[in-house]
């Protein structure tokens, strides 16, 4: 994340006893805290959706290899031009959608991925995003970014490895839907609405959308160095395109 020239300057400043201000300690609010166990989410969700399918309708299993989940993190601070924007992707996740016989409005979906399995700054993804993501990052830069974003000073991936997205309500009609979702991250839970583009039902599932997460809403402190001289923005963008195939249907073969 930090160019070598800047790292040398910062080291010198620290050695000289000049401005030395690390990122602020994590402040975890007790409001909205939920207990998140590091259990086998795929097995748990598969059992839940098997029971939903038995009650009627179709269950779709999301396919990571045919899907895309990406998170965009943006540089900030007075020295932002010396930093980089970042692309995080989830090559592995677990996801299901239940389409009941009464229609998608009464459906349910869940998506779960692990922060410690995120891929950081894949060059192929960065190359499609224009000038703001054009910098070529070295393996050392990428590993430094991983450590900063997932460490105890930021998202605490060791302690809170999972991000969970669960639908609470679905409104609209194909191909345009609005979903009220619950997002669980960093040991806390928040609710929000997001628009969805859905195609292919009832034979297949293709859904796309995006939404904004503020790290501080979940009690996480965005990475910051030297009193905010170089930092990342609080807001991150989560963009997704998900594809799924029918896995279970009580009335007909998928």
């Amino acid at each position: 994340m930090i160019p070598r020239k800047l790292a040398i300057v910062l080291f010198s400043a620290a050695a000289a006893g000049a401005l030395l201000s690390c990122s602020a300690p994590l402040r975890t609010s007790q409001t909205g805290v939920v207990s998140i166990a590091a259990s086998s989410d795929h097995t748990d969700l598969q059992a839940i959706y098997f029971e939903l399918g038995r009650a009627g309708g179709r269950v779709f299993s999301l396919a990571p290899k045919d899907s895309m989940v990406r998170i965009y993190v943006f540089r900030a601070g007075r020295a932002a031009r010396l930093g980089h924007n970042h692309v995080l992707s989830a090559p592995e996740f677990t996801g299901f959608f239940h389409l009941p016989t009464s229609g998608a409005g009464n459906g349910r979906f869940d998506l779960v991925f692990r922060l410690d399995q995120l891929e950081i700054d894949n060059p192929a993804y960065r190359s499609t995003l224009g000038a703001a993501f054009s910098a070529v990052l070295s393996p050392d830069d990428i590993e430094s970014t991983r450590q900063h974003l997932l460490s105890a000073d930021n998202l605490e991936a060791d302690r809170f490895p999972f991000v969970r997205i669960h639908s609470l309500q679905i409104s609209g009609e194909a191909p345009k839907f609005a979903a009220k979702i619950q997002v669980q991250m960093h040991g806390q839970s928040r609710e929000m609405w997001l628009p969805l583009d859905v195609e292919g039902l009832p034979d297949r599932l293709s859904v796309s959308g995006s939404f904004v997460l503020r790290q501080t809403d979940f009690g996480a402190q965005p990475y910051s160095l030297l009193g905010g001289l170089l930092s990342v923005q609080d807001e991150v963008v989560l963009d997704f395109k998900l594809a799924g195939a029918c896995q279970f249907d009580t009335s007909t073969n998928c």
Side-chain angles (χ1 to χ4, degrees), residues 175-197:
K176 299 293 184 180
F177 289 91
K180 184 179 183 181
I181 63 170
Q182 179 187 72
V183 180
Q184 295 181 3
M185 183 178 74
H186 198 255
Q188 301 194 24
S189 176
R190 296 291 181 267
E191 297 178 5
M192 65 188 71
W193 283 91
L194 72 153
L196 297 174
D197 291 320

Side-chain angles (χ1 to χ4, degrees), residues 126-139:
R126 293 182 61 87
S127 66
T128 66
L129 295 170
F133 291 84
S134 62
V136 178
L137 304 183
S138 70

